C-alpha cells in the first residue's frame, strides 16, 4: 500500500512512579502538523524486535526525559546526576544503531541530542550547575512555550539554512549537556556560555539534534516549525509527493 505520510517512531517517556510509558502531546502534534504520521514505540530490549520496528519506520525522533546513565559514556555517576532508566537507554541504543545502519533520518530533542552525542563517543556534563556554571538559564520554569535565552547559529550549517538567522531564541529545560562532541558530529548552534545546543552528522542523510524544546514553541515560532519540517521532508523522500498541511489553517485549540 502506498503512503503519503512518513511514519516516524517516537521514543516513549517513562513514568517511574506508575511504571508506565507516556507521551507529551507536543511531540506528536508537531510531527502531525509537519505532515508525518508519528507512532509511539514500545519498550523492548530485543534486537530482533527493534530491527523489525525500524524496518517499518521512515524516521526516528528521540525525545527528552531521564538522564542518560553515565556508564554509557564511560563515566562514574556523580551525586548531582539525575536518575536514569536502563530500559530506555537500551532501547535507544538499539534504535539509533539500527537507524544509523540504514541511514534513516534521526532527530533528537534535549536528551535526544545528548544520546546522539554519547552514541558517537562523546561525553556529557552530568550536571551543568556544578560542572559548567554560567549565567545562562538552562533550566527554566513554566510556561515552556517562550524563549529564555539565545543561541548563535553557526554560519554555513544546515540549521542556518533552515532558520535563516544567525541568532535564534530558544526555550531551555535541562541540567545536562554536551561536554566532548562526538565523532562525526558538527556543532550547528552554541549558547552564549559555549554549550553546544545543536548538532548534525554531515556524512549521514539526516541526523540532527537540538538541546531546546521545539515541541513547546512551534505554534508561536515559525522557525521552530521549520526545523522539524526539514526533518519530516527528508523522511518523506521516496514516498509519493505530498504537501504538508498549511500550519496557519490548522485547529490549534488542543495541546
Amino acid at each position: 500500500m502506498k503512503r503519503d505520510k512518513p511514519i516516524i517512531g517516537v521514543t516513549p517517556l517513562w513514568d517511574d512512579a506508575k511504571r508506565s510509558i507516556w507521551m507529551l502531546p507536543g511531540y506528536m502534534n508537531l510531527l502531525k502538523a509537519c505532515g508525518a504520521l508519528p507512532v509511539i514505540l514500545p519498550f523492548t530490549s530485543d534486537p530482533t524486535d527493534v530491527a523489525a520496528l525500524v524496518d517499518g519506520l521512515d524516521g526516528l525522533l528521540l525525545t527528552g526525559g531521564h538522564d542518560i546513565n553515565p556508564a554509557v559514556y564511560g563515566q562514574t555517576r556523580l551525586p548531582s546526576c539525575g536518575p536514569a532508566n536502563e530500559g530506555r537507554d537500551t532501547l535507544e541504543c538499539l534504535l539509533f544503531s539500527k537507524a544509523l545502519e540504514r541511514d534513516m533520518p534521526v532527530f533528537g530533542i534535549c536528551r535526544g541530542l545528548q544520546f546522539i552525542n554519547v552514541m558517537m563517543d562523546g561525553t556529557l556534563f552530568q550536571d551543568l550547575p556544578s560542572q559548567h556554571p554560567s549565567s545562562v538559564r538552562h533550566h527554566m520554569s513554566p510556561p515552556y512555550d517562550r524563549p529564555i535565552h539565545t543561541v548563535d547559529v553557526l554560519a554555513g550549517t544546515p540549521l542556518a539554512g533552515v532558520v535563516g538567522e544567525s541568532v535564534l531564541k530558544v526555550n531551555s529545560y535541562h541540567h545536562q549537556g554536551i561536554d566532548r562532541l562526538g565523532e562525526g558530529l558538527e556543532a550547528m548552534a552554541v549558547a552564549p556560555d559555549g554549550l553546544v545546543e545543536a548538532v548534525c552528522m554531515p556524512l549521514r542523510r539526516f541526523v540532527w539534534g537540538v538541546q531546546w524544546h521545539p515541541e513547546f514553541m512551534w505554534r508561536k515560532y515559525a522557525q521552530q516549525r521549520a526545523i522539524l519540517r526539514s526533518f519530516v521532508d527528508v523522511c518523506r523522500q521516496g514516498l509519493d509527493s505530498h504537501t504538508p498541511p498549511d500550519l496557519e489553517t490548522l485547529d490549534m485549540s488542543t495541546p
Side-chain angles (χ1 to χ4, degrees):
M1 179 182 295
K2 292 184 178 180
R3 293 184 285 107
D4 63 356
K5 294 182 180 181
I7 297 175
I8 297 178
V10 182
T11 54
L13 309 177
W14 179 258
D15 187 311
D16 288 315
K18 296 181 179 179
R19 306 297 297 168
S20 173
I21 66 170
W22 67 288
M23 181 54 57
L24 284 165
Y27 293 115
M28 312 298 282
N29 290 339
L30 173 51
L31 289 172
K32 287 188 291 185
C34 291
L37 176 60
V39 294
I40 303 171
L41 299 177
F43 260 32
T44 177
S45 60
D46 186 311
T48 301
D49 289 347
V50 170
L53 287 171
V54 173
D55 284 343
L57 302 176
D58 301 302
L60 176 65
L61 178 72
L62 303 175
T63 56
H66 284 73
D67 286 357
I68 299 165
N69 188 337
V72 177
Y73 48 97
Q75 292 185 6
T76 300
R77 185 183 183 280
L78 300 176
S80 53
C81 182
N85 182 279
E86 182 179 353
R88 183 165 179 188
D89 287 346
T90 300
L91 169 65
E92 292 190 347
C93 180
L94 293 170
L95 283 170
F96 184 77
S97 297
K98 285 297 181 183
L100 209 61
E101 181 181 301
R102 289 162 170 72
D103 200 20
M104 175 180 289
V106 178
F107 195 94
I109 292 176
C110 195
R111 169 198 157 96
L113 162 82
Q114 296 164 13
F115 203 86
I116 290 171
N117 189 63
V118 301
M119 286 296 293
M120 301 310 296
D121 294 326
T123 62
L124 303 179
F125 293 113
Q126 294 186 37
D127 180 64
L128 290 173
S130 59
Q131 294 183 295
H132 187 74
S134 79
S135 60
V136 178
R137 290 184 62 188
H138 288 294
H139 197 276
M140 67 188 291
S141 58
Y144 301 118
D145 62 349
R146 60 191 172 95
I148 197 67
H149 69 78
T150 62
V151 295
D152 294 323
V153 180
L154 303 184
T157 62
L159 180 62
V162 169
V163 301
E165 301 286 346
S166 60
V167 177
L168 188 64
K169 295 179 180 179
V170 301
N171 56 4
S172 193
Y173 189 76
H174 62 107
H175 85 109
Q176 297 193 320
I178 291 177
D179 182 4
R180 186 183 73 240
L181 192 62
E183 295 180 11
L185 298 178
E186 289 188 3
M188 296 196 294
V190 181
D193 60 3
L195 190 72
V196 173
E197 293 259 345
V199 303
C200 68
M201 193 179 299
L203 297 183
R204 295 289 175 170
R205 187 155 61 106
F206 191 106
V207 177
W208 285 24
V210 299
Q211 185 61 76
W212 61 90
H213 289 270
E215 76 276 12
F216 287 113
M217 298 184 70
W218 67 275
R219 298 180 189 276
K220 294 182 177 180
Y221 298 91
Q223 290 168 320
Q224 302 295 337
R225 300 195 295 266
I227 292 169
L228 267 295
R229 177 170 274 181
S230 67
F231 165 58
V232 172
D233 285 346
V234 176
C235 295
R236 185 180 293 111
Q237 291 175 5
L239 303 180
D240 290 343
S241 178
H242 172 71
T243 302
D246 183 355
L247 289 164
E248 301 302 323
T249 65
L250 288 175
D251 179 5
M252 299 300 187
S253 59
T254 57

